Amino acid sequence: MTDIENRGPSSFHTAGNPLTVRPLTEADRDDAIRLDGTAFLGSTPPDFLTDFVIPTLEIERYTGVFDDSELVGVAGIFTKDITFPGGRQVPFAGVTWVGVKPGYTGRGILRSLMTDQLHGLHTRGQEPVALLTASESGIYGRFGYGMATRNASFEIPSGTAFKTDPPRGTVKQIPREQALPHLKEIHRRVAAVSPGYLSRPESIWSLLYSDHEIYRSGRSTLEFAVHADGFLAFRTKGNFDERGPRGELLVHELCAATPEARAALWRHVLDYSLVREIIYPRGSVDEMLQDLVVDPRALKTSTRDHLWLRIVDLDRTVPLRSYSAAADVVVRVVDTFCPWNDGTWALSLGPTGGTAVRTSDPEQITLDITDLAATFLGDVRLARFAAAGRVTGDAGAIRALDLALSTPLAPWSPEGF
């Protein structure tokens, strides 16, 4: 997909200076890389850029802001799919590389980049939703993004006891070259039915599974434990003190198509020799390990925001998922940044999908587009926002919409972009 067609340059003024907004080309790529390194307080090793980062870029989907010929702001898009509730894999605009050069912040550059992206997606009829991961979580709500998924981080002592141990011998460690085909097949199976999972082309597999030192931080190369219905990739770091071994095992990814496989993979690493602690930084808030252990306090857990979702076109987005219950409600949606969504909509939702149609009927519920985005995948309950006064209206209609949007488990993505 390309969105360079019909994208001519535009301009705006800030502090008396004209700035130009235009699509990037290959000639701008190195400038964009340098700006990204400056904006995020670091530089990426050249070999890592060449081997793993540059192959993933779709430079024709990047927007730049220029002060004369100097690139001072950038934002890009990855073309990706996400699994929505109900199992449909939906194209989305993966917003990435958003950065403004120091000295140019606070001048409306970020707003111009967000406008170019979201208004462009709407005008050209491209992806109906956009998603991003935020370096600062307070930024994107003003552009209509809602926090749609969370990640959980776990620290687990080695040897933590299970209520019921899985059968021994179902997990084996195998070399990378044997493991990767199995990993890709298991991920494909799980992604097809798990809300929040992202598509993963070969370039992303190479990036995520690189053993470059930028990922290792002194730990081992990736090792692979496999089960017939799952896999676990991890790194280890040895250490000893006067009391003996105190090694660390970092779970890179755990993916399982059955509860039995997940339990067996966990048991394998919890019993790993010379390891004192297991760290799992990118887990689901509904990680089943929490319900397997005898002592729940053994798990040190924290959560944080992960994917932020923006509904670009409400009428095109609502039909893309299934709903947990039927609901026919009239909703007043407030959307000042994408005004084509602003107004009153009749939502008709059910287990096979839904529709959103403009109506002149009186609204039953009033909410902001950010709150609808945050609840759309099922992580946050609409009733919670109603309790906080963020969603208002008829209590019965709110209950019906809350139930329709809910999902059995929280959506989760084991990766970012």
Side-chain angles (χ1 to χ4, degrees):
M1 179 185 296
T2 177
D3 69 353
I4 200 168
E5 298 176 17
N6 302 317
R7 288 181 63 196
S10 61
S11 63
F12 66 101
H13 283 71
T14 178
N17 297 324
L19 300 178
T20 301
V21 184
R22 67 165 174 83
L24 299 190
T25 68
E26 279 294 333
D28 303 307
R29 188 188 69 191
D30 290 345
D31 288 339
I33 290 171
R34 280 191 291 271
L35 176 54
D36 183 72
T38 300
F40 287 93
L41 309 181
S43 59
T44 304
D47 61 330
F48 188 80
L49 278 170
T50 301
D51 294 341
F52 301 109
V53 176
I54 290 174
T56 70
L57 302 184
E58 301 171 61
I59 202 68
E60 73 278 5
R61 303 207 74 186
Y62 280 55
T63 297
V65 176
F66 292 81
D67 184 355
D68 195 10
S69 61
E70 181 184 9
L71 182 65
V72 297
V74 67
I77 288 175
F78 288 142
T79 303
K80 297 179 75 68
D81 294 343
I82 184 172
T83 303
F84 268 11
R88 184 168 178 178
Q89 293 181 307
V90 174
F92 73 92
V95 175
T96 186
W97 281 51
V98 180
V100 176
K101 187 173 183 177
Y104 283 84
T105 56
R107 301 191 189 184
I109 291 174
L110 178 58
R111 176 168 288 272
S112 72
L113 291 166
M114 294 291 102
T115 300
D116 182 86
Q117 285 188 333
L118 295 173
H119 287 233
L121 291 170
H122 167 71
T123 300
R124 291 184 292 275
Q126 293 177 313
E127 292 96 333
V129 293
L131 289 106
L132 55 78
T133 57
S135 57
E136 296 179 79
S137 59
I139 292 177
Y140 292 98
R142 66 181 186 268
F143 305 117
Y145 283 88
M147 186 184 72
T149 75
R150 294 167 293 153
N151 274 357
S153 176
F154 299 92
E155 297 177 17
I156 314 125
S158 176
T160 295
F162 280 5
K163 295 176 181 178
T164 303
D165 279 334
R168 301 279 178 171
T170 58
V171 174
K172 295 181 179 180
Q173 280 191 221
I174 60 176
R176 169 188 282 265
E177 60 273 14
Q178 295 178 30
L180 282 175
H182 181 72
L183 269 59
K184 293 172 184 178
E185 174 58 21
I186 293 295
H187 184 273
R188 184 195 63 77
R189 287 170 57 189
V190 173
V193 296
S194 301
Y197 265 68
L198 309 183
S199 58
R200 192 179 287 183
E202 283 299 319
S203 60
I204 299 300
W205 275 104
S206 296
L207 176 66
L208 292 178
Y209 277 79
S210 165
D211 271 327
H212 195 282
E213 181 54 33
I214 197 173
Y215 284 158
R216 290 171 59 185
S217 300
R219 299 185 181 94
S220 71
T221 57
L222 282 168
E223 301 184 55
F224 301 90
V226 299
H227 181 283
D229 292 313
F231 71 84
L232 194 152
F234 62 96
R235 302 183 192 275
T236 57
K237 188 173 184 178
N239 193 14
F240 290 83
D241 63 16
E242 62 276 7
R243 292 184 175 179
R246 48 177 301 118
E248 175 187 284
L249 188 151
L250 178 74
V251 175
H252 177 71
E253 183 169 22
L254 172 56
C255 185
T258 66
E260 294 79 12
R262 200 170 192 91
L265 289 162
W266 270 122
R267 192 69 268 163
H268 180 78
V269 293
L270 288 171
D271 292 339
Y272 214 81
S273 297
L274 306 184
V275 168
R276 179 77 60 85
E277 187 169 55
I278 295 87
I279 300 172
Y280 185 27
R282 293 197 305 258
S284 166
V285 295
D286 286 328
E287 168 56 53
M288 64 176 274
L289 180 64
Q290 299 169 100
D291 302 310
L292 295 177
V293 299
V294 173
D295 179 8
R297 291 186 188 176
L299 278 63
K300 182 179 178 181
T301 308
S302 62
T303 62
R304 62 169 293 170
D305 63 285
H306 187 44
L307 294 182
W308 291 71
L309 184 146
R310 210 314 170 181
I311 297 172
V312 176
D313 288 308
L314 182 61
D315 56 342
R316 292 196 296 142
T317 299
V318 167
L320 298 178
R321 61 157 289 184
S322 65
Y323 298 87
S324 294
D328 291 283
V329 294
V330 178
V331 178
R332 170 70 173 94
V333 176
V334 178
D335 191 347
T336 57
F337 197 75
C338 294
W340 54 87
N341 291 322
D342 194 85
T344 305
W345 297 83
L347 304 183
S348 182
L349 313 176
T352 61
T355 60
V357 180
R358 287 198 175 275
T359 182
S360 58
D361 292 345
E363 65 266 20
Q364 297 169 290
I365 301 170
T366 299
L367 51 67
D368 193 272
I369 195 73
T370 58
D371 295 333
L372 185 58
T375 59
F376 194 74
L377 296 183
D379 183 50
V380 179
R381 295 293 296 257
L382 191 77
R384 187 174 119 188
F385 287 161
R390 288 168 55 168
V391 174
T392 60
D394 177 77
I398 291 173
R399 282 195 298 271
L401 184 56
D402 170 64
L403 183 59
L405 289 168
S406 67
T407 55
L409 295 175
W412 171 60
S413 173
E415 65 191 86
F417 50 87

